[in-house]
Amino acid sequence: MIRYIVRRVLYAVPLLLGVNILTFLLFFVVNTPDDMARMHLGQKHVTQEAVEGWKHERGYDLPLFWNDRAEGTGKVTQTIFYQKSVGLFMFRFGRSDSGREIGADIRQRMWPSLAIAVPSLIVGLLVHISLALLLVFFRLTYLEFWGIALCVVLMSISFLFYIIGGQYVLGKLLQLTPISGYDSGINAIRFLILPLIISVVAGIGSGVRWYRTLFLEEVEKDYVRTARAKGLSEPQVLFGHVLKNAMIPILTGVVVVLPLLFTGSLITESFFAIPGLGSYTIDAINQQDFAIVRAMVFLGSALYILGLLLTDLSYTLVDPRVRLG
Amino acid sequence: MSVVSERLEPGAEQRAANALLSVSDLHVSFRQGTELVPAVSGVSFHIDKGETFALVGESGSGKSVTALSVLRLLPHNAQITKGRVMLGSTDLFRLPEYAMGAIRGLRIGIIFQDPMSSLNPVMTVGRQIGEVLRLQRGLQGQAARKRALELLDHVGLPNPERHLGEYPHQLSGGMRQRVMIAIALAGEPDLLIADEPTTALDVTIQAQILELLERLKRENGMALWLITHDLGIVAELADRVAVMRAGRIVEQSGREGFFEHPEHPYSRELFTAMPRLDACLVRPETHHSDPLLVVDDFKVHYPIKRGIFQRTVDYVRAVDGVSFSVAKGETLALVGESGCGKTTLGKGILNLIENSGGRVCFGGADITGLRGEERRKRYAEMQIVFQDPYSSMNPRMIVGDIVEEGLRALHPSMTETERRERVEDLLQNVGLPKDARLRYPHEFSGGQRQRICIARALAVDPKLIVCDEPTSALDVSVQAQILKLLRELRDRRRLSYLFITHDLAVVAELADRVAVMHRGKIVEMGTTRQVLFEPAHPYTRRLLQAVPKLRLEKHREF
Amino acid sequence: MLKLLWTDILFFILLAGFTVAIARARRLEHLRRPWRKVARSRSAMVSLVILLAYLFIAILDSIHFHPRIEGENGQYRGEVISVLDSWMTPIRTRVEKTYSAPFSSYAYAKEMIRQPDGTQRWDYPRLRYGGAHLSDPERETMGDILRIGTEGLAKGASVWAALALLLAVWRSRLDRIGLTESLTLIARGRTEIPWRAALLTLFLILGIGGMLGELGLYYHVLGTDKVGEDVFYQSVKSIRTGLLIGTLTTFATLPLALGFGILAGYFRGWVDDVIQYLYTTLNSIPGVLLIAAAMLIMQVYMARHEDDFASLALRADFRLLFLCLILGMTSWTGLCRLLRAETLKLREMEYVQAARALGVRQGVILVRHILPNVFHLVLISVALDFSSLVLAEAVLSYVNIGVDPTMESWGNMINSARLEMARDPVVWWSLAAAFLFMFTLVLAANLFADAVRDAFDPRRAE
């Protein structure tokens, strides 16, 4: 068991390394720092000095992998790769292209992200699973048929329209909630209700369909027939046996995304002007701030790999076949 | 319409009236697309208190569907179109669904074929039994635990204390079926339905479970409704027998009467088709001297990897130093229970599984060391026929392409017409029409598919065919036909067979010599007559004892 | 002068490949069977008609050329337009000053209007083109719309009638029955394939299309946007963008997913390890961020090579192509993992083992036994992915990492219109148009994908 965990942790190392090298290649080799500087300073009328100055300020004026001019270990450390990429392993993100401390920004902005992402996940799970169970309970009736039809309709609507529609109806017409914005502390709740409702409703279509297939797969198994043969009623069978088995894929599916909750949702946060990591990333993309995008790519990947790790662990906890296998 | 011959003893009319369970004129259909396909058409029978009633039939005859409709547990695409089921004085089809909860588990218990899939994989044995105790007997806490322990002890599970907290995957197949029986008994039902209770189990375990069912029936005074395809089991347990075919009961009578004078032609066909151990006694022993395949100290080991760096700490010795030879025209049977390594050995010889040691000599030359083209050609002189006729053919290819696949691979110079003629010839050889060439595998029945597989193997003119349980997935009557075909082909083409099976009676029908495998090793080898009638090794004796006794009876003429 | 863009060429190659595949599949029973099942489903046929209508427009919009300058022989303009553009020229070129509501003859905002008598008035000005033929819009509009609409409906209906007749003739030839009998069978819905439902859908499309097309000559049927462009024209133009992203992406996805998935599953060992490492690594980078990074880098690349992208159309086209490519790079891992798992299962199947025992070569086994048996997974996944890709386009364009801002796309329409939600009265028509066009396509695609899955997934077979 412990050995298994250690092995999975060790497997994460080459993955992180791969992500790191990939992002490095993407950001520094495909396009040179010179290109970035020109992009920022404007294409046409820019002197070589200005470019050099821009690069020097941000530490992009070093060689990529090997510094001939430096002494000793400096040959390795005085390079862009060491300074910009190796540091990421220690979660030293450095400064953004506009000079802000990225690490501090992340620490500050992850809380609003969590404040919206965690309740959305929990409420979403509860709502979607209950609806899916309802559909499974009423299977082969008209309720199921129309329920599924409604799901297909709901999942054919772009997320953007859910947001726009929600803001218009709940925020503007009915004036129940503020349209967008954020506040610190407990006052934030007022601003979080609308995004929460919208993200849960928008997920109904695909979520309910997905959980329904999971349940249906279980319902057709032999042990369910055994449970019925014991004299259990349909709700007892669904909750006592089907849900219990279906929880394994559901839980492990949720565990993967748990760490990624930190990074928030790009679209929701920017639409509702929530100062989380999602809108941080969007702003960086729009301002073409490579340092922030690079940091977020690495952070996101690291969190996903952590999610994979947690998934493996959760299997061993939830599934006796793996735990005692 | 087939003739239903009811031969009931005097006073049967009255007995039927106060029977425990009586089924009358049951009709069940399955929806397929827009059509209704009948599965059970007009079945009537009754089961008395305390008796063992056996419903016998081949696959697809509707016997399981009948049992499931009594409990109203049919899959959703099936529907009961007509009929009445009385349990005592209760009309089961008139009960509302919630009231069935007091029938299932409490009045009627059921056990299924595959205990692994029938038990909930994420609940402990204790909880699965406790659930019934709470629901049907109102027992909770310590009382429930005590009763569960009693039940497990009652079904002969050793060390019940330990197993109570275990999950199904931690138990062996036989233990799982015992747990399943304990669950069915927990509600103390008047009737226990056993739907092919031993089909998924090894022959020695099978005997134990049958003994257990017999004992439980006696001790608990309940009725047992046995559903099976195996006449051997019927002969051991049943008081009364009903034979089912294509949704109808064709014959119903007491055991003695049934086994002495089966009336319906179909019942008689079942008897003749049954392979018997004494088959090897009536046929002359043949001796072959020209060795074709020589296997020497053959090993297949799988490494067990442990630790952070996956070091190999030990090996699973699936095949552990096996040596034997098969002569030209000879049939060697490889017998053993599941997991003994017999299939691994068969595939290992064909190089479908990498071997870890030993040599395979074929036609006088060592072929284990061959590489490239040479190896491809030499290995093709040995072919294989698999157990499952459904997964052994590519569903996306027509039969003609399947059969000529080997020709294309080994004789690329053949023209299209030559190949076609060859394929048609082969299909006729195995008893199929020429135009089968243009159809897809799914259009054929299990037995016909097995014929196609044999034709595919024959296409490349092999000298030896490894038959890996080729008849275990087939019904008895089809099995007899395939065995006959294999015999004919062997004699006509001077083929050698390495016949892998768990069924000793099939061995008796076909094999010249027998090798008994146990835990990766051959424990006994000799002529069929020696091994089956004068077994030397205790394991062989155990296997033989477990064979239902009907198979040992003298050959009968009808 | 024909001037096909890169995406045009790839799109046509894809369509050609598709056509060849269909022609081949018609001969294979095991493929014909599930397709027949799809064809028998009413929802599948209705959505197929809708999808084909979208496809028809996308094809028209994918044949680009330099238009001839009127009057001068052999002279071509520098701009590139499509057949659809030239077809819709009246709608395309009638650009107003700014916003106007659907069917309105007046602009959305008031301005100073110089009266004939020289005085000035603060009022809603008449539009330059929309409803310009009316003398008194307030009174005449309703009647005029009805009259022109009926005209358009009649045109659409006559095209429809011709097509329906063609179908009946074809069916009667095929079934060897009289034409009237064939027509009655279709009209009563007694055919195996639900032709009646398909024809009704077609009638709706052609009828509405005819009305909108005819009305579009006189009005802005879906209004105009901020710079006065016709919203109906924008929505129709966006069809090509959405469809291209949905289809071309598979170009990038399929070879990777299929190749890697099957190789990893079949050969196992180190090949499997390497491929698994590759897709886990790629998968671990959040998709949107990888796309964002790649798009940023592409922008830098385009900025450096400005000369290579002389025209706006070329630029936008390259960006679209790159977007498809990068979307494909981020989405192949799911299918790859699926195919790997399936191949792992298949290689242990007894027919594969039998083929090995027969001495069939590895390559032949892969092509003959593995590939046809994972094909249904590929098909289902392509069908299911299509709609999510169309939806993804909108989201990406909103984040400014989608298609070029100058390119017509539903995402860009939403993006530019959402800020107008705050105005009073609300400028709703751009959003509504984008919603309607997108929703119809995605819903049809989802329904069709469901039918395909039900027909091809062996676990759902009866």
Side-chain angles (χ1 to χ4, degrees):
Chain A
M1 187 58 182
I2 300 290
R3 286 207 193 97
Y4 173 76
I5 296 166
V6 173
R7 211 152 51 76
R8 300 310 298 176
V9 172
L10 285 181
Y11 183 61
V13 173
L15 284 178
L16 275 177
L17 208 67
V19 171
N20 194 305
I21 292 172
L22 199 76
T23 42
F24 180 77
L25 291 178
L26 220 78
F27 281 94
F28 291 105
V29 180
V30 178
N31 289 297
T32 61
D34 280 48
D35 296 328
M36 280 193 271
R38 288 218 174 78
M39 179 104 185
H40 268 265
L41 299 170
Q43 284 299 319
K44 293 279 149 56
H45 314 287
V46 58
T47 57
Q48 191 58 35
E49 287 86 71
V51 168
E52 291 301 328
W54 189 89
K55 276 162 61 183
H56 184 73
E57 270 171 36
R58 290 158 183 79
Y60 292 151
D61 54 346
L62 298 166
L64 285 180
F65 294 105
W66 187 255
N67 196 340
D68 272 331
R69 279 174 295 173
E71 297 292 317
T73 53
K75 283 190 190 301
V76 179
T77 56
Q78 293 296 312
T79 58
I80 294 185
F81 183 69
Y82 187 85
Q83 304 245 313
K84 299 289 173 194
S85 266
V86 177
L88 290 177
F89 284 118
M90 271 75 84
F91 294 99
R92 284 203 316 254
F93 297 109
R95 288 181 176 280
S96 73
D97 287 347
S98 56
R100 289 173 60 88
E101 187 72 45
I102 299 178
D105 276 351
I106 290 177
R107 271 190 294 282
Q108 186 202 340
R109 301 192 81 153
M110 64 186 231
W111 298 112
S113 282
L114 281 177
I116 176 66
V118 172
S120 299
L121 180 81
I122 294 169
V123 177
L125 266 178
L126 288 177
V127 170
H128 300 164
I129 290 177
S130 327
L131 287 176
L133 271 176
L134 214 63
L135 284 186
V136 173
F137 185 77
F138 286 104
R139 64 185 175 282
L140 300 171
T141 63
Y142 278 101
L143 191 77
E144 190 203 24
F145 177 83
W146 289 111
I148 296 168
L150 186 67
C151 282
V152 178
V153 169
L154 286 179
M155 68 187 270
S156 301
I157 298 172
S158 170
F159 185 46
L160 298 176
F161 287 116
Y162 281 105
I163 299 179
I164 294 170
Q167 283 185 332
Y168 186 73
V169 174
L170 293 179
K172 196 168 174 186
L173 284 186
L174 303 175
Q175 311 239 322
L176 292 175
T177 55
I179 291 177
S180 67
Y182 194 72
D183 202 346
S184 56
I186 198 78
N187 291 328
I189 292 176
R190 208 157 57 87
F191 292 98
L192 291 178
I193 290 173
L194 185 58
L196 175 69
I197 292 174
I198 287 173
S199 70
V200 169
V201 172
I204 284 181
S206 50
V208 171
R209 262 168 66 109
W210 168 242
Y211 292 126
R212 178 178 159 266
T213 42
L214 286 184
F215 291 139
L216 281 186
E217 227 160 75
E218 292 296 326
V219 163
E220 267 148 37
K221 288 190 178 161
D222 283 352
Y223 72 84
V224 177
R225 191 176 58 184
T226 309
R228 292 213 183 92
K230 286 174 177 176
L232 296 176
S233 65
E234 190 64 19
Q236 282 171 321
V237 170
L238 276 186
F239 283 96
H241 288 262
V242 174
L243 187 61
K244 220 180 174 105
N245 277 275
M247 272 328 263
I248 294 174
I250 292 176
L251 265 182
T252 45
V254 168
V255 168
V256 175
V257 300
L258 279 183
L260 282 172
L261 293 181
F262 282 98
T263 56
S265 153
L266 300 186
I267 310 298
T268 315
E269 287 184 15
S270 87
F271 253 105
F272 292 100
I274 295 168
L277 282 179
S279 53
Y280 185 57
T281 314
I282 292 237
D283 292 345
I285 292 171
N286 285 333
Q287 290 157 16
Q288 308 192 325
D289 193 321
F290 291 86
I292 296 179
V293 175
R294 204 160 42 84
M296 291 310 293
V297 165
F298 186 77
L299 183 68
S301 313
L303 290 173
Y304 178 80
I305 291 168
L306 181 68
L308 289 181
L309 210 66
L310 291 178
T311 309
D312 286 338
L313 289 185
S314 67
Y315 262 118
T316 62
L317 292 179
V318 186
D319 193 337
R321 282 162 296 186
V322 178
R323 178 172 14 127
L324 307 163
Chain B
M1 278 292 260
S2 45
V3 190
V4 178
S5 55
E6 285 251 13
R7 289 182 305 163
L8 300 171
E9 291 93 85
E13 300 289 314
Q14 214 203 325
R15 287 238 328 262
N18 49 35
L20 174 63
L21 179 84
S22 75
V23 176
S24 42
D25 199 28
L26 179 71
H27 287 75
V28 184
S29 296
F30 279 82
R31 267 192 310 277
Q32 273 180 1
T34 50
E35 291 171 72
L36 275 180
V37 181
V40 173
S41 351
V43 161
S44 307
F45 62 90
H46 65 92
I47 299 173
D48 290 337
K49 291 195 180 74
E51 77 165 342
T52 302
F53 175 77
L55 192 59
V56 191
E58 296 186 305
S59 57
S61 60
K63 50 193 197 303
S64 293
V65 175
T66 308
L68 290 177
S69 13
V70 165
L71 282 171
R72 291 178 35 189
L73 284 176
L74 286 169
H76 60 77
N77 59 338
Q79 65 187 60
I80 296 162
T81 48
K82 198 179 159 198
R84 202 153 84 125
V85 172
M86 298 293 291
L87 181 70
S89 56
T90 325
D91 188 339
L92 291 188
F93 291 170
R94 292 249 171 109
L95 285 183
E97 177 58 33
Y98 68 86
M100 281 305 287
I103 303 291
R104 301 178 191 134
L106 184 64
R107 308 274 318 267
I108 307 178
I110 185 166
I111 55 177
F112 299 105
Q113 174 173 344
D114 182 3
M116 182 69 218
S117 66
S118 299
L119 291 171
N120 191 329
V122 300
M123 276 166 89
T124 60
V125 168
R127 288 199 52 194
Q128 299 198 44
I129 300 175
E131 201 175 32
V132 192
L133 293 174
R134 179 172 43 82
L135 190 76
Q136 307 289 18
R137 292 276 140 200
L139 293 177
Q140 271 173 343
Q142 275 308 313
R145 187 184 150 78
K146 195 164 145 270
R147 177 72 186 132
L149 284 174
E150 270 173 33
L151 279 165
L152 287 180
D153 190 51
H154 196 47
V155 298
L157 198 72
N159 205 348
E161 285 275 354
R162 200 187 86 202
H163 295 309
L164 210 56
E166 287 188 326
Y167 291 92
H169 73 273
Q170 293 169 291
L171 306 173
S172 72
M175 284 152 86
R176 280 182 211 132
Q177 196 60 299
R178 285 175 198 270
V179 170
M180 193 64 211
I181 295 172
I183 290 173
L185 292 182
E188 292 164 35
D190 309 324
L191 172 67
L192 178 66
I193 306 177
D195 187 356
E196 302 268 8
T198 57
T199 310
L201 303 175
D202 272 327
V203 62
T204 47
I205 311 292
Q206 183 176 334
Q208 293 167 14
I209 295 290
L210 290 177
E211 234 166 73
L212 171 69
L213 285 175
E214 174 72 23
R215 195 193 80 209
L216 291 173
K217 187 203 99 174
R218 230 177 26 240
E219 289 177 3
N220 295 17
M222 61 181 181
L224 179 64
W225 174 3
L226 187 68
I227 293 167
T228 181
H229 67 280
D230 192 338
L231 285 176
I233 295 175
V234 176
E236 291 204 346
L237 289 187
D239 297 321
R240 281 190 311 120
V241 185
V243 180
M244 224 176 149
R245 183 198 198 185
R248 292 194 168 81
I249 289 184
V250 294
E251 174 164 1
Q252 221 179 126
S253 61
R255 173 177 56 176
E256 301 300 317
F258 179 73
F259 281 96
E260 267 152 40
H261 316 285
E263 289 240 315
H264 197 272
Y266 178 67
S267 316
R268 270 178 269 171
E269 198 187 310
L270 284 182
F271 273 105
T272 23
M274 246 179 77
R276 280 152 214 288
L277 280 181
D278 50 16
C280 62
L281 296 174
V282 295
R283 114 181 103 81
E285 281 197 28
T286 43
H287 293 281
H288 306 270
S289 49
D290 187 8
L292 177 70
L293 172 76
V294 179
V295 177
D296 185 27
D297 195 27
F298 200 80
K299 285 179 189 151
V300 179
H301 291 178
Y302 296 111
I304 303 173
K305 291 184 173 169
R306 285 265 167 73
I308 295 164
F309 296 105
Q310 297 286 290
R311 271 178 309 116
T312 304
V313 290
D314 201 358
Y315 293 93
V316 176
R317 296 178 165 78
V319 178
D320 199 17
V322 166
S323 307
F324 62 87
S325 71
V326 183
K328 209 165 213 171
E330 186 189 35
T331 300
L332 174 71
L334 207 54
V335 187
E337 293 185 294
S338 59
C340 74
K342 54 190 195 301
T343 295
T344 313
L345 174 60
K347 288 185 180 170
I349 291 170
L350 291 181
N351 197 34
L352 295 176
I353 292 176
E354 200 99 346
N355 66 326
S356 343
R359 288 187 315 148
V360 176
C361 294
F362 192 73
D366 186 352
I367 57 168
T368 12
L370 292 180
R371 287 282 168 268
E373 273 308 271
E374 181 68 22
R375 169 199 182 117
R376 203 163 67 92
K377 296 228 160 93
R378 281 318 292 273
Y379 269 105
E381 290 179 1
M382 294 186 283
Q383 283 306 316
I384 184 162
V385 175
F386 293 100
Q387 169 178 2
D388 182 1
Y390 291 85
S391 65
S392 52
M393 278 184 285
N394 188 340
R396 319 271 177 205
M397 280 164 80
I398 59 169
V399 168
D401 288 340
I402 291 172
V403 175
E404 70 171 32
E405 182 160 39
L407 294 177
R408 276 175 189 272
L410 293 174
H411 310 288
S413 58
M414 263 178 123
T415 65
E416 191 140 330
T417 25
E418 279 172 344
R419 273 205 304 265
R420 203 184 66 213
E421 278 165 15
R422 187 74 202 280
V423 167
E424 287 177 348
D425 199 41
L426 282 164
L427 287 174
Q428 279 183 316
N429 256 311
V430 297
L432 288 172
K434 271 187 193 175
D435 62 3
R437 195 169 63 85
L438 296 172
R439 284 150 66 192
Y440 279 88
H442 71 90
E443 298 171 58
F444 296 90
S445 68
Q448 285 172 320
R449 287 184 200 212
Q450 212 54 309
R451 285 171 195 270
I452 299 169
C453 289
I454 293 170
R456 170 175 65 187
L458 289 177
V460 293
D461 270 328
K463 299 195 172 77
L464 178 131
I465 299 181
V466 176
C467 303
D468 188 358
E469 306 252 15
T471 60
S472 321
L474 305 176
D475 281 326
V476 177
S477 51
V478 183
Q479 166 173 303
Q481 293 162 17
I482 296 292
L483 286 177
K484 184 162 166 264
L485 174 69
L486 285 173
R487 250 191 319 256
E488 281 168 13
L489 289 171
R490 176 185 64 188
D491 298 341
R492 205 179 328 142
R493 298 178 167 238
R494 239 173 101 66
L495 282 170
S496 306
Y497 292 141
L498 180 61
F499 198 92
I500 298 169
T501 183
H502 69 279
D503 189 340
L504 288 168
V506 172
V507 169
E509 295 270 340
L510 195 71
D512 300 312
R513 286 193 301 135
V514 181
V516 181
M517 239 182 128
H518 187 48
R519 296 196 182 150
K521 289 196 164 77
I522 290 181
V523 294
E524 179 165 4
M525 184 149 57
T527 65
T528 309
R529 233 175 262 191
Q530 272 169 8
V531 174
L532 296 190
F533 289 91
E534 298 141 37
H537 196 272
Y539 178 70
T540 318
R541 278 198 289 260
R542 233 175 44 233
L543 277 182
L544 279 164
Q545 268 161 17
V547 175
K549 54 184 180 250
L550 181 68
R551 304 252 173 110
L552 282 162
E553 281 172 18
K554 277 270 174 280
H555 202 71
R556 226 188 294 251
E557 298 294 332
F558 290 107
Chain C
M1 192 173 62
L2 200 63
K3 171 78 174 95
L4 290 183
L5 303 172
W6 275 109
T7 49
D8 295 340
I9 295 167
L10 288 176
F11 185 50
F12 284 121
I13 291 176
L14 199 72
L15 285 180
F18 209 65
T19 321
V20 171
I22 290 175
R24 262 186 64 88
R26 283 178 63 89
R27 289 191 287 123
L28 295 173
E29 171 63 20
H30 62 82
L31 288 176
R32 255 205 338 245
R33 217 176 325 129
W35 278 123
R36 262 206 298 269
K37 201 173 158 194
V38 173
R40 275 200 296 267
S41 148
R42 200 174 304 154
S43 69
M45 283 309 277
V46 169
S47 27
L48 184 66
V49 171
I50 296 172
L51 289 176
L52 285 177
Y54 272 84
L55 184 69
F56 176 71
I57 291 174
I59 289 175
L60 283 186
D61 203 10
S62 292
I63 308 169
H64 284 94
F65 60 94
H66 290 291
R68 211 181 275 272
I69 296 176
E70 313 255 328
E72 288 177 63
N73 270 347
Q75 289 288 347
Y76 296 98
R77 278 180 222 249
E79 65 167 344
V80 181
I81 64 167
S82 70
V83 173
L84 183 80
D85 289 329
S86 98
W87 200 35
M88 290 181 85
T89 300
I91 303 177
R92 177 169 60 104
T93 51
R94 287 178 193 163
V95 177
E96 306 289 347
K97 234 188 255 165
T98 180
Y99 293 113
S100 69
F103 289 113
S104 175
S105 303
Y106 298 97
Y108 167 78
K110 285 184 180 176
E111 60 179 64
M112 277 300 176
I113 304 168
R114 189 183 298 273
Q115 307 267 65
D117 55 12
T119 56
Q120 290 200 333
R121 188 164 55 89
W122 179 248
D123 202 358
Y124 298 104
R126 283 293 293 268
L127 292 176
R128 218 175 310 161
Y129 302 104
H133 62 293
L134 305 174
S135 50
D136 184 4
E138 253 114 276
R139 269 193 312 111
E140 295 170 59
T141 306
M142 268 325 271
D144 192 52
I145 289 174
L146 267 178
R147 188 180 56 76
I148 301 172
T150 320
E151 225 169 85
L153 183 67
K155 281 186 187 170
S158 50
V159 175
W160 174 80
L163 287 176
L165 197 68
L166 220 60
L167 173 79
V169 170
W170 177 60
R171 285 314 307 177
S172 71
R173 284 277 164 80
L174 222 60
D175 301 341
R176 306 245 165 81
I177 50 173
L179 184 58
T180 38
E181 197 181 339
S182 169
L183 273 171
T184 11
L185 279 180
I186 292 173
R188 287 197 184 145
R190 294 273 168 77
T191 48
E192 194 197 350
I193 295 170
W195 289 118
R196 186 174 61 167
L199 280 178
L200 282 177
T201 319
L202 191 65
F203 181 77
L204 271 178
I205 294 172
L206 285 174
I208 295 176
M211 282 198 284
L212 288 180
E214 196 69 24
L215 285 165
L217 295 175
Y218 303 93
Y219 298 94
H220 298 291
V221 286
L222 293 175
T224 54
D225 73 349
K226 190 169 188 170
V227 292
E229 253 197 65
D230 191 277
V231 173
F232 177 56
Y233 171 71
Q234 284 180 337
S235 315
V236 174
K237 283 288 281 182
S238 302
I239 289 176
R240 175 178 183 267
T241 315
L243 234 58
L244 242 57
I245 286 188
T247 50
L248 283 190
T249 303
T250 52
F251 239 152
T253 315
L254 277 193
L256 287 174
L258 209 56
F260 283 152
I262 288 183
L263 289 182
Y266 191 76
F267 289 108
R268 302 192 297 192
W270 67 268
V271 180
D272 189 23
D273 290 341
V274 170
I275 293 173
Q276 273 201 72
Y277 171 73
L278 201 71
Y279 74 61
T280 317
T281 308
L282 250 166
N283 214 20
S284 64
I285 303 178
V288 187
L289 284 177
L290 188 63
I291 295 169
M295 291 312 276
L296 275 186
I297 283 151
M298 187 216 54
Q299 279 168 14
V300 175
Y301 176 84
M302 290 218 299
R304 195 172 52 186
H305 300 87
E306 219 166 32
D307 307 337
D308 295 349
F309 304 101
S311 75
L312 270 180
L314 222 58
R315 233 183 124 93
D317 186 62
F318 180 77
R319 185 160 164 159
L320 176 65
L321 191 62
F322 190 80
L323 181 68
C324 291
L325 205 75
I326 195 70
L327 269 171
M329 288 302 287
T330 54
S331 58
W332 64 275
T333 50
L335 180 59
C336 182
R337 187 156 38 190
L338 210 66
L339 290 176
R340 173 182 166 271
E342 188 68 17
T343 310
L344 272 177
K345 245 185 281 167
L346 285 176
R347 78 185 296 280
E348 299 303 326
M349 287 298 270
E350 290 171 344
Y351 56 83
V352 175
Q353 304 224 337
R356 280 170 58 197
L358 286 166
V360 181
R361 286 168 218 275
Q362 308 263 10
V364 180
I365 291 181
L366 280 181
V367 172
R368 201 183 290 160
H369 293 292
I370 307 286
L371 206 58
N373 283 296
V374 298
F375 174 76
H376 67 281
L377 290 179
V378 176
L379 192 77
I380 293 169
S381 130
V382 167
L384 287 175
D385 280 353
F386 175 82
S387 51
S388 53
L389 285 168
V390 174
L391 291 176
E393 185 274 326
V395 169
L396 291 178
S397 296
Y398 165 75
V399 194
N400 283 331
I401 51 175
V403 296
D404 197 85
T406 62
M407 191 165 208
E408 287 90 353
S409 90
W410 294 311
N412 280 337
M413 284 171 70
I414 300 168
N415 198 9
S416 54
R418 71 183 182 94
L419 294 172
E420 312 306 335
M421 292 298 286
R423 278 177 182 254
D424 210 38
V426 178
V427 179
W428 49 271
W429 43 90
S430 271
L431 281 175
F435 174 79
L436 274 180
F437 275 81
M438 211 167 140
F439 176 68
T440 316
L441 175 63
V442 174
L443 184 63
N446 275 333
L447 288 173
F448 190 69
D450 275 1
V452 168
R453 188 187 51 190
D454 287 348
F456 278 87
D457 192 342
R459 283 185 308 169
R460 287 165 193 261
E462 279 160 75

